[in-house]
Amino acid sequence: MKNALKKRLIVATLTQVAIIIISFIFYRKISLVSYINISFYFTAVFLLLALLIYTIQSGFYDVFSRSLNFAFSRGKDKRSFDEVPGLSQLITVNQRPLLFYGLVNGLLMMVALLAYYF
């Protein structure tokens, strides 16, 4: 448990370092506004990926993916519709770390926004 939390905090720290480096590369300086802008993109990507993986694993896209797989493999081998695996069975990525990184980056971005406005 402690190793997993330590690993997640190290990756969250590395994302903050990446945000600062990207801010320096694109804006040629490190300012609060550039940190907030780039941090917003990182937060959005992490949260949207976590939500997409959660939606896929819930089985929402299973019928659609089975239908496409069944339709495109129709002439190759004779399978029934129930034999085609669903997308939720194929995607086994854990979305919790992505959610954690998105929430940590979002929290730090909100702190930076509060510091900017006050």
Side-chain angles (χ1 to χ4, degrees), residues 60-71 81 84-88 90:
F60 186 75
Y61 297 109
D62 279 354
V63 173
F64 180 71
S65 68
R66 281 183 177 177
S67 299
L68 283 177
N69 193 341
F70 185 71
F81 186 74
V84 178
L87 194 59
S88 64
L90 299 175

Side-chain angles (χ1 to χ4, degrees), residues 19 27 31-42 109:
I19 289 170
Y27 291 100
S31 67
L32 198 56
V33 173
S34 64
Y35 171 80
I36 292 168
N37 288 339
I38 294 172
S39 180
F40 175 78
Y41 291 120
F42 271 74
M109 181 187 66

Side-chain angles (χ1 to χ4, degrees), residues 46-66:
F46 282 133
L47 290 177
L48 288 175
L49 279 176
L51 289 173
L52 178 67
I53 292 171
Y54 177 75
T55 306
I56 289 172
Q57 288 177 347
S58 70
F60 186 75
Y61 297 109
D62 279 354
V63 173
F64 180 71
S65 68
R66 281 183 177 177

Side-chain angles (χ1 to χ4, degrees), residues 1-117:
M1 174 94 175
K2 288 186 177 184
N3 287 336
L5 181 63
K6 188 183 286 188
K7 185 189 271 188
R8 285 184 184 177
L9 289 177
I10 289 172
V11 173
T13 304
L14 289 175
T15 58
Q16 293 301 308
V17 170
I19 289 170
I20 291 171
I21 290 171
I22 291 172
S23 172
F24 187 71
I25 290 172
F26 284 121
Y27 291 100
R28 307 270 190 250
K29 61 180 179 178
I30 300 170
S31 67
L32 198 56
V33 173
S34 64
Y35 171 80
I36 292 168
N37 288 339
I38 294 172
S39 180
F40 175 78
Y41 291 120
F42 271 74
T43 302
V45 166
F46 282 133
L47 290 177
L48 288 175
L49 279 176
L51 289 173
L52 178 67
I53 292 171
Y54 177 75
T55 306
I56 289 172
Q57 288 177 347
S58 70
F60 186 75
Y61 297 109
D62 279 354
V63 173
F64 180 71
S65 68
R66 281 183 177 177
S67 299
L68 283 177
N69 193 341
F70 185 71
F72 287 121
S73 67
R74 189 169 207 123
K76 296 178 184 168
D77 47 340
K78 301 295 181 190
R79 296 194 292 186
S80 67
F81 186 74
D82 294 333
E83 292 175 353
V84 178
L87 194 59
S88 64
Q89 296 169 348
L90 299 175
I91 306 294
T92 58
V93 178
N94 190 5
Q95 81 274 5
R96 288 183 182 165
L98 293 172
L99 182 64
F100 176 77
Y101 304 141
L103 291 176
V104 167
N105 283 332
L107 179 69
L108 292 173
M109 181 187 66
M110 288 298 193
V111 169
L113 275 168
L114 288 173
Y116 180 74
Y117 282 116

